[in-house]
Amino acid sequence: MGLGDSLRNFIKNEIIGKLDDLKKGVSALSTAMKMGGYEEEAAEADKLIKQINDIKKQKTKLTNLKKQVDGFLKRAKSAKQAAEKLREANTVASALNPAAAAITLVQEKLIKKSEDEMKDLGSVVDIVDPTVQEIDIAVVDMESELNQAKKDQEDMKQNKKNRDEMLGRG
């Protein structure tokens, strides 16, 4: 498993998977709150808000990781260019020296492997920005849904209190 696969798994499992679970949790809690539950939903809401904040931290980690990988890719591209220049020099030398010919073959394989890894990492970097945007949108939606559910719940409490007062139960 290459570095690109590790990064893809991190994004899939640690961010997207948790984000999907969190969306479901917020939706279920919002529905329960709108149906009139009070005390138990407040604790669950606090738990979900903490998880939303954790997702925000993961987003920051992902953004920082992208910057690191971008820097690595730039350095790797420079190293690849240097290796290609060295390969060209060894090609000339290989005509005179069998050891240089063997080194040229190894260089070819290393350059090919590094090209594959750089493409793989590049494809991972390309999915970071859409993932960050998805997190931003989902977080805003979930926070909005929770805030609306809390407001609806408070309104229901107040309406019940007003109704009880009007009926003389207060």
Side-chain angles (χ1 to χ4, degrees):
M1 180 190 297
L3 186 56
D5 292 334
S6 297
L7 292 174
R8 266 190 284 287
N9 286 337
F10 170 75
I11 291 170
K12 181 182 173 190
N13 298 329
E14 295 298 318
I15 297 180
I16 300 300
K18 288 181 180 179
L19 189 63
D20 290 343
D21 292 343
L22 192 54
K23 286 177 190 177
K24 291 174 188 171
V26 167
S27 181
L29 178 66
S30 176
T31 301
M33 289 174 77
K34 290 175 183 177
M35 294 190 152
Y38 299 114
E39 308 309 325
E40 61 277 356
E41 282 83 6
E44 183 68 19
D46 290 340
K47 181 179 148 191
L48 289 174
I49 288 170
K50 182 183 179 300
Q51 291 176 341
I52 289 171
N53 289 333
D54 289 345
I55 289 284
K56 288 179 185 178
K57 289 176 189 171
Q58 292 285 25
K59 181 190 87 164
T60 302
K61 286 181 185 178
L62 183 62
T63 303
N64 291 338
L65 186 61
K66 178 185 184 241
K67 289 176 186 173
Q68 291 173 351
V69 171
D70 279 338
F72 170 77
L73 286 174
K74 287 177 186 170
R75 290 186 301 277
K77 184 176 179 181
S78 296
K80 178 183 162 250
Q81 289 171 342
E84 287 173 343
K85 296 293 182 195
L86 185 59
R87 178 188 62 200
E88 290 171 10
N90 281 339
T91 301
V92 172
S94 69
L96 304 172
N97 182 349
I103 290 172
T104 302
L105 289 173
V106 171
Q107 282 178 322
E108 289 290 333
K109 290 180 181 183
L110 289 175
I111 290 171
K112 176 68 175 134
K113 178 68 176 164
S114 70
E115 285 174 350
D116 293 344
E117 281 295 320
M118 287 175 19
K119 283 181 187 176
D120 190 36
L121 281 174
S123 71
V124 172
V125 168
D126 291 342
I127 65 171
V128 170
D129 288 336
T131 302
V132 167
Q133 288 175 344
E134 181 179 345
I135 292 168
D136 288 339
I137 292 167
V139 164
V140 167
D141 290 347
M142 288 185 292
E143 287 175 336
S144 175
E145 187 173 352
L146 279 175
N147 289 334
Q148 185 61 45
K150 282 182 181 179
K151 182 184 177 304
D152 292 347
Q153 191 177 48
E154 289 169 8
D155 290 346
M156 284 174 32
K157 277 184 183 179
Q158 186 61 42
N159 289 341
K160 184 179 183 315
K161 181 181 173 188
N162 291 343
R163 190 172 50 248
D164 287 347
E165 285 176 3
M166 289 172 66
L167 294 173
R169 295 185 211 161

Coordinates of all heavy atoms in Angstrom, one line a residue, residues 28-42 148-160 163:
A28 N -31.3 12.5 13.0 CA -32.2 11.8 14.0 C -32.5 12.6 15.2 O -33.6 12.6 15.7 CB -31.5 10.5 14.4
L29 N -31.4 13.3 15.7 CA -31.6 14.1 16.9 C -32.6 15.3 16.7 O -33.5 15.6 17.5 CB -30.3 14.6 17.5 CG -30.4 15.5 18.7 CD1 -30.9 14.7 19.9 CD2 -29.1 16.2 19.0
S30 N -32.4 15.9 15.5 CA -33.3 17.0 15.2 C -34.7 16.6 15.1 O -35.6 17.3 15.6 CB -32.8 17.6 13.8 OG -33.7 18.6 13.4
T31 N -35.0 15.4 14.5 CA -36.3 14.9 14.4 C -36.9 14.6 15.8 O -38.0 15.0 16.2 CB -36.4 13.6 13.6 OG1 -35.9 13.9 12.3 CG2 -37.7 13.0 13.5
A32 N -36.1 14.0 16.7 CA -36.5 13.7 18.1 C -36.8 15.0 18.8 O -37.8 15.1 19.6 CB -35.4 12.9 18.8
M33 N -36.0 16.0 18.7 CA -36.2 17.2 19.4 C -37.5 17.9 18.9 O -38.2 18.5 19.7 CB -35.0 18.2 19.2 CG -33.7 17.7 19.9 SD -32.3 18.7 19.5 CE -32.6 20.2 20.5
K34 N -37.8 17.8 17.7 CA -39.0 18.5 17.1 C -40.2 17.7 17.6 O -41.3 18.3 17.6 CB -38.9 18.5 15.6 CG -37.9 19.5 15.1 CD -37.8 19.5 13.6 CE -36.7 20.5 13.2 NZ -36.5 20.5 11.7
M35 N -40.1 16.5 18.0 CA -41.2 15.7 18.5 C -41.5 15.9 20.0 O -42.4 15.4 20.5 CB -41.0 14.2 18.3 CG -41.0 13.9 16.8 SD -41.0 12.1 16.6 CE -41.8 12.0 15.0
G36 N -40.6 16.7 20.6 CA -41.0 17.1 22.0 C -40.1 16.6 23.1 O -40.4 16.8 24.3
G37 N -39.1 15.8 22.8 CA -38.2 15.3 23.9 C -37.4 16.5 24.4 O -37.2 17.5 23.7
Y38 N -37.0 16.5 25.7 CA -36.3 17.7 26.2 C -34.9 17.3 26.8 O -33.9 17.6 26.2 CB -37.1 18.3 27.3 CG -38.4 18.9 26.9 CD1 -39.6 18.3 27.3 CD2 -38.5 19.9 25.9 CE1 -40.8 18.8 26.9 CE2 -39.7 20.3 25.5 CZ -40.9 19.8 25.9 OH -42.1 20.3 25.5
E39 N -34.9 16.7 27.9 CA -33.6 16.5 28.6 C -32.6 15.6 27.9 O -31.5 16.0 27.8 CB -33.9 15.9 30.0 CG -35.0 16.7 30.8 CD -34.8 18.2 30.9 OE1 -33.6 18.6 31.0 OE2 -35.8 19.0 30.8
E40 N -33.0 14.4 27.5 CA -32.0 13.5 26.9 C -31.5 14.1 25.6 O -30.3 13.8 25.3 CB -32.6 12.1 26.7 CG -33.8 12.0 25.8 CD -35.2 12.4 26.5 OE1 -35.2 12.6 27.7 OE2 -36.2 12.4 25.7
E41 N -32.3 14.9 24.9 CA -31.8 15.4 23.6 C -30.7 16.5 23.8 O -29.8 16.6 23.0 CB -33.0 16.0 22.8 CG -33.8 14.9 22.1 CD -34.8 14.3 23.0 OE1 -35.0 14.7 24.1 OE2 -35.5 13.3 22.5
A42 N -30.8 17.2 24.9 CA -29.8 18.3 25.2 C -28.4 17.7 25.3 O -27.5 18.2 24.8 CB -30.2 19.1 26.4
Q148 N -31.8 25.1 14.8 CA -33.2 25.2 14.5 C -34.0 24.3 15.4 O -35.1 24.6 15.9 CB -33.5 24.9 13.0 CG -35.0 25.1 12.6 CD -35.4 26.6 12.8 OE1 -34.8 27.5 12.5 NE2 -36.6 26.7 13.4
A149 N -33.5 23.0 15.6 CA -34.2 22.1 16.4 C -34.2 22.6 17.9 O -35.3 22.4 18.5 CB -33.5 20.7 16.3
K150 N -33.1 23.2 18.3 CA -33.1 23.7 19.7 C -34.2 24.8 19.8 O -34.9 24.9 20.8 CB -31.7 24.3 20.1 CG -30.7 23.2 20.4 CD -29.4 23.9 20.8 CE -28.3 23.0 21.2 NZ -27.1 23.7 21.5
K151 N -34.2 25.7 18.8 CA -35.2 26.8 18.8 C -36.6 26.3 18.8 O -37.5 26.7 19.6 CB -35.0 27.7 17.6 CG -35.9 28.9 17.6 CD -35.7 29.7 16.3 CE -36.6 30.9 16.2 NZ -38.0 30.6 16.3
D152 N -36.9 25.3 18.0 CA -38.2 24.7 17.9 C -38.5 24.0 19.2 O -39.7 24.2 19.7 CB -38.3 23.6 16.8 CG -38.2 24.2 15.4 OD1 -38.3 25.4 15.3 OD2 -38.0 23.4 14.4
Q153 N -37.6 23.4 19.9 CA -37.8 22.8 21.2 C -38.1 23.8 22.2 O -39.1 23.6 23.0 CB -36.6 21.9 21.6 CG -36.8 21.0 22.7 CD -35.6 20.2 23.1 OE1 -34.5 20.7 23.1 NE2 -35.9 18.9 23.3
E154 N -37.4 24.9 22.2 CA -37.6 26.0 23.2 C -39.0 26.6 22.9 O -39.7 26.9 23.9 CB -36.6 27.0 23.1 CG -35.2 26.6 23.6 CD -34.1 27.5 23.3 OE1 -34.3 28.6 22.8 OE2 -32.9 27.1 23.6
D155 N -39.4 26.8 21.7 CA -40.7 27.3 21.3 C -41.8 26.4 21.8 O -42.8 26.8 22.4 CB -40.9 27.5 19.8 CG -40.0 28.7 19.3 OD1 -39.5 29.5 20.1 OD2 -39.8 28.7 18.1
M156 N -41.6 25.1 21.7 CA -42.6 24.1 22.1 C -42.7 24.2 23.7 O -43.8 24.1 24.2 CB -42.2 22.7 21.7 CG -42.5 22.4 20.3 SD -41.9 20.8 19.6 CE -42.0 19.7 21.0
K157 N -41.6 24.3 24.4 CA -41.6 24.4 25.8 C -42.4 25.7 26.2 O -43.3 25.6 27.1 CB -40.2 24.5 26.4 CG -39.5 23.2 26.6 CD -38.2 23.5 27.3 CE -37.3 22.3 27.5 NZ -36.0 22.6 28.1
Q158 N -42.1 26.8 25.6 CA -42.8 28.0 25.9 C -44.3 28.0 25.6 O -45.1 28.4 26.3 CB -42.2 29.2 25.1 CG -42.7 30.6 25.5 CD -42.5 30.9 27.0 OE1 -41.4 30.6 27.5 NE2 -43.5 31.4 27.6
N159 N -44.6 27.4 24.4 CA -46.1 27.2 24.1 C -46.8 26.3 25.1 O -47.9 26.6 25.5 CB -46.2 26.6 22.7 CG -45.8 27.6 21.6 OD1 -45.8 28.8 21.8 ND2 -45.5 27.1 20.4
K160 N -46.1 25.3 25.5 CA -46.7 24.4 26.5 C -46.9 25.2 27.8 O -48.0 25.0 28.5 CB -45.9 23.2 26.8 CG -46.5 22.2 27.8 CD -45.6 21.0 27.9 CE -46.1 19.9 28.8 NZ -46.7 20.3 30.0
R163 N -49.8 27.5 27.4 CA -51.1 26.8 27.3 C -51.5 26.3 28.7 O -52.6 26.5 29.1 CB -50.9 25.6 26.4 CG -52.2 24.9 26.1 CD -52.0 23.8 25.0 NE -50.9 22.9 25.2 CZ -49.8 22.8 24.5 NH1 -49.7 23.6 23.5 NH2 -48.8 21.9 24.8

